Amino acid sequence: MPLNIVHEADGFPRIILTEPSGSSAAVLLYGGQVVSWKNERREELLFMSNKAIWKTPKAIRGGIPVCFPQFGNLGSLEQHGFARNRLWSLDSDPSPLPPANNQSSVDLVLKSSEEDFKTWPRSFELRLRVCLSAGKLTLIPRVRNLDNKPFSFTFALRNYLSVSDISEVRIEGLETLDYFDNMIRRDRFTEQADAITFDGEPSYSQQIDRVYLSTPTKIAIIDHEKKRTFVLRKVGMPDAAVWNPWDKKAKALSDLGDDDYKTMLCVDSAAVENSIVLKPYEEWKGHQELSTVSSSYCSGQLDPSKVLHGFR
């Protein structure tokens, strides 16, 4: 099936994926970034800032940026690395992945350039497959070392999720885990709450910026007002970053609206605590699956065991 490539007025070509139930996704060649994912009712599931800067070499605020070869400022490179503000190409050789003939999909590739060598002198290929199916969006990133010596990197898929109101959201699956708090000198803490909530109490009067460590393969993000749950499944990315800028940081970001923090939440698939090390010509592969399910209520509360374990 030929790819549907649309050229918008903003100058950023995007690949439009569709499937029979009516859902769709849009993927930019710039950054290899998913910038839209709509369900069968045409509801947008990803957050995109209406103040996003659509101009190279700026990163685009929203969707699912690819953070490589560095997450955050945990290194000497620019924030979240350079992959999210480079022009990717369509990948004509997605092997060894099997063909995605039964799904609407696109394969993209980013190869090391002389420009990147100035700041990160490594020879690599970064591939990304984006697959759309009914109620599900799958991203499969792969990194191959083409150098004659090992290199290491950190990685994340930053998922900007669209929510009704941040105060109506809870995250389940991260309780009792250790996390690094980027707001407090990256000190290490243990999560004490039964679930992560954002209810405007004093403890959440500032942005939350944490990396939860050794997380389960399945995390639930529950939006009570929309009665909708995002289920994040991931393999090869053991950590999970959680970020919301809250009001002060939102006002300080030029590419984010002052009140945008109320309708967005980032829950990322990440490999941060332990860098991924690749020997020459070795390849790393990750896997992320985002799906949505209708939240079921029991005595006014969502049954977490059903969300985390009952859906297939």
Side-chain angles (χ1 to χ4, degrees):
M1 179 183 293
L3 290 173
N4 179 15
I5 301 178
V6 175
H7 296 269
E8 298 284 0
D10 55 32
F12 287 82
R14 62 202 69 196
I15 298 100
I16 306 299
L17 304 178
T18 58
E19 57 82 35
S21 76
S23 65
S24 66
V27 188
L28 298 184
L29 290 176
Y30 182 68
Q33 186 165 336
V34 179
V35 291
S36 176
W37 174 35
K38 295 180 180 178
N39 63 18
E40 68 281 359
R41 295 185 297 278
R42 307 296 194 270
E43 296 170 330
E44 181 58 66
L45 301 173
L46 299 178
F47 168 86
M48 285 296 302
S49 170
N50 57 19
K51 294 180 71 176
I53 300 171
W54 295 79
K55 185 177 181 180
T56 61
K58 297 292 186 181
I60 299 170
R61 177 78 64 186
I64 308 178
V66 178
C67 305
F68 171 89
Q70 173 184 301
F71 176 77
N73 58 0
L74 302 175
S76 60
L77 300 176
E78 59 195 278
Q79 176 85 358
H80 291 317
F82 51 72
R84 63 180 185 158
N85 50 19
R86 295 289 188 270
L87 187 63
W88 295 44
S89 304
L90 294 174
D91 189 3
S92 59
D93 182 27
S95 59
L97 288 184
N101 296 331
N102 297 326
Q103 291 180 310
S104 182
S105 67
V106 62
D107 289 290
L108 302 177
V109 62
L110 177 69
K111 299 182 180 183
S112 48
S113 68
E114 289 189 13
E115 179 183 2
D116 300 328
F117 260 82
K118 296 174 184 176
T119 55
W120 202 63
R122 313 286 189 273
S123 183
F124 70 88
E125 288 180 343
L126 167 57
R127 287 181 156 83
L128 180 68
R129 172 173 287 183
V130 182
C131 292
L132 177 73
S133 55
K136 188 183 302 182
L137 182 69
T138 302
L139 282 76
I140 304 173
R142 291 179 293 145
V143 177
R144 179 172 289 276
N145 180 358
L146 299 182
D147 233 324
N148 57 9
K149 56 185 178 182
F151 66 66
S152 63
F153 61 93
T154 53
F155 186 93
L157 296 172
R158 166 134 284 193
N159 301 305
Y160 281 85
L161 304 176
S162 176
V163 298
S164 59
D165 188 300
I166 191 65
S167 65
E168 296 291 330
V169 175
R170 60 191 278 130
I171 304 173
E172 296 184 352
L174 302 179
E175 50 277 2
T176 75
L177 299 181
D178 285 357
Y179 64 87
F180 291 136
D181 194 328
N182 290 322
M183 302 303 298
I184 312 178
R185 303 179 306 277
R186 298 199 190 100
D187 286 352
R188 188 170 182 137
F189 299 90
T190 300
E191 181 59 61
Q192 303 294 325
D194 292 336
I196 301 170
T197 59
F198 313 85
D199 52 11
E201 293 299 320
S203 60
Y204 284 113
S205 60
Q206 59 180 356
Q207 67 169 312
I208 179 172
D209 188 357
R210 300 174 180 174
V211 177
Y212 287 82
L213 310 173
S214 301
T215 63
T217 58
K218 193 185 297 185
I219 299 167
I221 302 97
I222 302 151
D223 189 334
H224 289 300
E225 187 171 314
K226 287 189 176 179
K227 294 184 173 57
R228 179 169 67 206
T229 295
F230 288 99
V231 179
L232 170 62
R233 295 177 174 90
K234 57 192 182 65
V235 178
M237 294 172 279
D239 307 318
V242 177
W243 181 68
N244 182 285
W246 220 251
D247 54 350
K248 290 182 181 179
K249 180 67 173 180
K251 291 175 182 176
L253 293 170
S254 61
D255 59 350
L256 192 67
D258 289 356
D259 293 326
D260 278 353
Y261 75 93
K262 297 178 181 177
T263 57
M264 59 147 285
L265 176 62
C266 289
V267 182
D268 311 338
S269 300
V272 175
E273 181 185 22
N274 298 311
S275 298
I276 299 164
V277 179
L278 290 182
K279 298 176 183 177
Y281 299 99
E282 192 174 26
E283 183 177 85
W284 164 84
K285 186 174 90 169
H287 188 105
Q288 171 182 288
E289 180 185 291
L290 276 171
S291 58
T292 59
V293 294
S294 296
S295 300
S296 57
Y297 284 77
C298 177
S299 302
Q301 295 295 321
L302 189 70
D303 179 1
S305 63
K306 184 171 184 181
V307 171
L308 291 175
H309 308 293
F311 293 103
R312 296 289 183 266

